[in-house]
Amino acid sequence: MRYETTRREFLRDSSLAFGGAVFASQVKLPTSKHAQVDILIDEPIGTISPNIYGHFVELLGGVVYDGIWVGENSRIPNINGIRKELVEHLRRMRAPIIRFPGGCAADSYDWRDGIGPKENRPRRTNFWFFGDKRKGNTSSKFDPNHFGTDEFVRLCRLCNAEPYLAANVRSLSARDFNLWMEYCNSPAGSTTLADRRAADGSPEPYNVRYWGVGNEAWGCGGNFTPEEYSVEYRKFVSWVPGYDVNPQFIGSGPNSDDYDWTRKFFERLAAKGGFDAIQGWSLHHYAANLARGHVKGWEESKGEAVNFQPVDWYEVLREGERVESLITGHWKIMQETEVGRKVKLVVDEWGPWYKPSTEIAPGYALSQMPTLRDAVFSAMTLDIFNRHADKVSIAACAQLVNCLNSPFLAMEDKFVATPVFDVFEMYAAHQGGTSLRTEIAAEPTTYPRDGVPTNFWGVKGSASLKGKTLVVSLARPDTQEALTVDIRPRGATVRSGRITTLTNSVLNAHNTFEQPNIVRPTSRDLKLSGGAVTVELPAASVNVLELTLA
Ligand code: AHR
């Protein structure tokens, strides 16, 4: 019931915000404006790394237990203990890479706790202990360690994703990190840990390529200064045997716009040895502050996940869109010292972060209900990554299930895919394509922000080419008006095409266990006249076109 703000109520609320007289001129009749999208086929930006469509799994709340891990003997359909429906959906959205075990939990985690026979694995206090207010010794307070390295790699193998492990820099040593790599990657029969891995079910190495060196080293990952962290970083990555995988090391980068962190770390690396042992620089940005300057504080400034104010439809998009300037800003600073542009950005935590209130279970810390708004948010974010394919090599949406911007919610035998899932499934067509420069001419949309009419863009997106297939994704944020768009691939002719659209007449529409298909995309073939592509993007929609070129 509390989730029932309709578009009509949204309009009504807008009228209140504006004052009746002004509102009359703001209400849009259901006509459609016109816009133009030019795709510059001859201006490639770079290959879209499939890994920017990645996901993040932390030992936190209900993410692992029971979002992913239900156990081999569960009555819930599973594949060797892993929720079967989840695996099927991960395959559908072609999840390319998954990050584990944190987040903040990574810097409390000892990988040795999560290997070997389950009955021998120690139970440990979880980093997020305080997030579960339930009585009793729940798995999110006291981790049974039943889901460890072997189970995580199993999850990845089941859906053809690359494992991306985050090492503990705050409370373990470089030697512990090296031993974890040895457990994962040393050849069959070569070391005691390779034998241990064989006893745990895998004589063959896991060949884990992606290794994060800590997490948020400026905060929960050790409270380091950038200078201190650069010392730790070098200790962790120096003289590490690569085995057969050519490991990719990812440094713990800035919190949002902390440019000082990036500059100082890169300066230190440049001064001592250079950039051979760093392939990625992580960047975290959550769209959390919806306060418009009215209140301060991390918790206080958050907005509602479902019962949001009309203004917050746009505010969360505005806040999330900052990731684009963060990408260009940090990239520029990295170039001051790393002129070769070999170190790429890894946006391995992104998403909206709302106030608690829509958790599907009390102990599922940070769980929130994704709505249509979050689908538009996710589309906008993935388009940004596509447009910066030359700079961003990996990204991970926070987090996979029962958490912030989750594609899935799961509890016991119940499972539902949220509208965020649909966006990932729709956008998978971009993976591995060549990102192309686009030019968009569209009127901005206007919304009332504290009584002041304020502009927001009318349509944005990205385009990629793979063979003869041109993929164009477009997000239309305007909550009231559709938009007619002419799509013009310059220098190419479109022979046929299909459009998939995700929208709903209710702005906070979402899928629940009881009603799992409230927000779902629809597809149709395009009618082309003389090769011209003109489509109507509904208000509040995400659209993906797959066009076959002549
Ligand atoms: O995703 C939730 C938390 O947000 C992660 O543990 C941490 O890295 C970030 O601050």
Side-chain angles (χ1 to χ4, degrees):
M1 286 140 317
R2 61 170 194 249
Y3 297 168
E4 279 171 3
T5 306
T6 62
R7 182 172 287 169
R8 181 177 304 175
E9 284 168 331
F10 187 96
L11 289 173
R12 189 201 61 210
D13 291 352
S14 301
S15 78
L16 294 176
F18 261 119
V22 186
F23 179 61
S25 65
Q26 297 300 325
V27 177
K28 310 289 192 318
L29 296 171
T31 53
S32 173
K33 284 185 178 164
H34 223 95
Q36 216 156 276
V37 175
D38 283 272
I39 296 153
L40 313 185
I41 302 276
D42 293 333
E43 294 194 31
I45 296 169
T47 302
I48 297 175
S49 160
N51 287 343
I52 67 175
Y53 287 83
H55 298 278
F56 170 32
V57 164
E58 180 163 10
L59 291 163
L60 188 177
V63 177
V64 169
Y65 312 98
D66 62 9
I68 298 169
W69 182 253
V70 296
E72 286 102 338
N73 301 321
S74 171
R75 66 188 170 83
I76 300 163
N78 68 85
I79 308 173
N80 297 327
I82 294 169
R83 193 180 278 276
K84 189 160 175 270
E85 263 186 296
L86 177 75
V87 171
E88 289 163 355
H89 279 77
L90 280 164
R91 286 178 184 156
R92 274 179 58 185
M93 61 182 189
R94 290 198 254 148
I97 190 167
I98 307 177
R99 175 175 183 245
F100 173 78
C104 294
D107 284 284
S108 301
Y109 184 72
D110 188 338
W111 63 273
R112 280 163 293 221
D113 292 345
I115 61 167
K118 300 225 173 18
E119 61 278 15
N120 297 341
R121 297 189 190 178
R123 284 166 292 135
R124 302 281 188 215
T125 308
N126 186 280
F127 173 88
W128 294 95
F129 168 82
F130 58 87
D132 190 342
K133 306 277 180 260
R134 290 174 293 180
K135 289 207 169 83
N137 300 337
T138 60
S139 59
S140 54
K141 287 187 216 165
F142 303 103
D143 188 339
N145 276 304
H146 287 177
F147 188 87
T149 302
D150 305 307
E151 293 76 17
F152 171 64
V153 173
R154 189 183 303 160
L155 167 73
C156 294
R157 296 282 180 266
L158 284 171
C159 57
N160 293 319
E162 288 279 350
Y164 166 14
L165 290 169
N168 179 344
V169 173
R170 178 172 56 79
S171 54
L172 287 184
S173 69
R175 177 173 154 76
D176 296 305
F177 175 50
N178 288 188
L179 292 177
W180 197 9
M181 294 186 80
E182 187 175 302
Y183 177 79
C184 291
N185 293 348
S186 60
S190 63
T191 64
T192 302
L193 284 173
D195 293 348
R196 185 62 211 264
R197 187 186 63 230
D200 291 341
S202 182
E204 292 311 314
Y206 290 144
N207 291 335
V208 177
R209 277 189 84 198
Y210 298 97
W211 295 90
V213 182
N215 169 77
E216 298 191 350
W218 39 265
C220 62
N223 272 322
F224 295 115
T225 64
E227 292 86 354
E228 289 164 347
Y229 175 63
S230 74
V231 175
E232 296 300 315
Y233 182 87
R234 287 199 304 274
K235 272 186 351 204
F236 270 63
V237 300
S238 301
W239 308 109
V240 176
Y243 305 108
D244 285 334
V245 290
N246 183 20
Q248 306 288 294
F249 294 117
I250 294 145
S252 172
N255 181 23
S256 289
D257 58 358
D258 185 355
Y259 295 115
D260 193 51
W261 179 269
T262 294
R263 180 171 284 116
K264 288 195 171 132
F265 178 87
F266 272 68
E267 280 172 359
R268 289 298 162 117
L269 242 55
K272 185 96 178 81
F275 301 97
D276 287 347
I278 180 165
Q279 284 70 37
W281 184 236
S282 92
L283 163 65
H284 291 179
H285 177 62
Y286 287 102
N289 185 346
L290 304 189
R292 310 189 301 283
H294 296 310
V295 288
K296 292 208 172 12
W298 169 251
E299 293 301 338
E300 297 79 352
S301 59
K302 287 183 187 150
E304 295 287 339
V306 175
N307 273 336
F308 51 83
Q309 297 296 311
V311 66
D312 286 340
W313 170 277
Y314 295 104
E315 286 299 306
V316 77
L317 297 178
R318 193 183 282 290
E319 189 62 23
E321 198 184 22
R322 285 182 55 217
V323 80
E324 184 152 27
S325 62
L326 298 174
I327 289 168
T328 51
H330 286 288
W331 183 252
K332 197 160 166 248
I333 289 169
M334 288 155 68
Q335 256 56 154
E336 290 171 3
T337 41
E338 202 273 301
V339 289
R341 301 181 172 203
K342 286 201 181 121
V343 185
K344 304 291 181 185
L345 281 161
V346 171
V347 190
D348 53 13
E349 290 190 26
W350 66 266
W353 192 329
Y354 304 113
K355 281 185 179 141
S357 76
T358 59
E359 316 72 310
I360 55 166
Y364 291 4
L366 313 192
S367 147
Q368 59 192 31
M369 175 59 80
T371 69
L372 177 65
R373 177 177 59 160
D374 303 301
V376 176
F377 181 104
S378 302
M380 171 191 76
T381 307
L382 294 174
D383 281 325
I384 291 171
F385 298 156
N386 287 344
R387 293 199 297 266
H388 294 279
D390 53 335
K391 309 177 190 73
V392 183
S393 62
I394 302 176
C397 177
Q399 301 191 11
L400 184 66
V401 50
N402 293 341
C403 199
L404 299 170
N405 197 40
S406 296
F408 309 108
L409 303 174
M411 190 172 60
E412 296 160 3
D413 59 350
K414 299 192 260 317
F415 179 87
V416 67
T418 74
V420 175
F421 160 76
D422 296 302
V423 172
F424 272 95
E425 192 181 37
M426 289 160 69
Y427 273 59
H430 277 300
Q431 291 186 19
T434 301
S435 175
L436 301 174
R437 210 167 293 289
T438 55
E439 276 177 11
I440 298 186
E443 260 183 56
T445 181
T446 305
Y447 69 102
R449 191 178 194 264
D450 297 328
V452 180
T454 303
N455 281 352
F456 195 69
W457 44 267
V459 61
K460 277 198 183 181
S462 63
S464 67
L465 186 65
K466 208 188 298 173
K468 291 267 178 215
T469 305
L470 176 64
V471 180
V472 184
S473 45
L474 296 168
R476 169 69 174 156
D478 190 302
T479 57
Q480 300 173 47
E481 254 188 321
L483 183 71
T484 302
V485 182
D486 293 326
I487 296 168
R488 307 191 306 195
R490 277 203 213 151
T493 310
V494 178
R495 192 189 292 158
S496 60
R498 198 166 168 74
I499 182 167
T500 302
T501 296
L502 184 76
T503 189
N504 197 282
S505 59
V506 177
L507 292 174
N508 65 358
H510 51 279
N511 301 329
T512 61
F513 295 136
E514 297 74 29
Q515 293 186 286
N517 294 313
I518 298 281
V519 193
R520 285 280 97 99
T522 53
S523 296
R524 65 183 166 84
D525 288 335
L526 294 172
K527 288 195 192 87
L528 305 176
S529 68
V533 183
T534 300
V535 289
E536 177 158 297
L537 311 181
S541 68
V542 176
N543 308 270
V544 173
L545 292 91
E546 291 189 57
L547 306 173
T548 305
L549 303 183

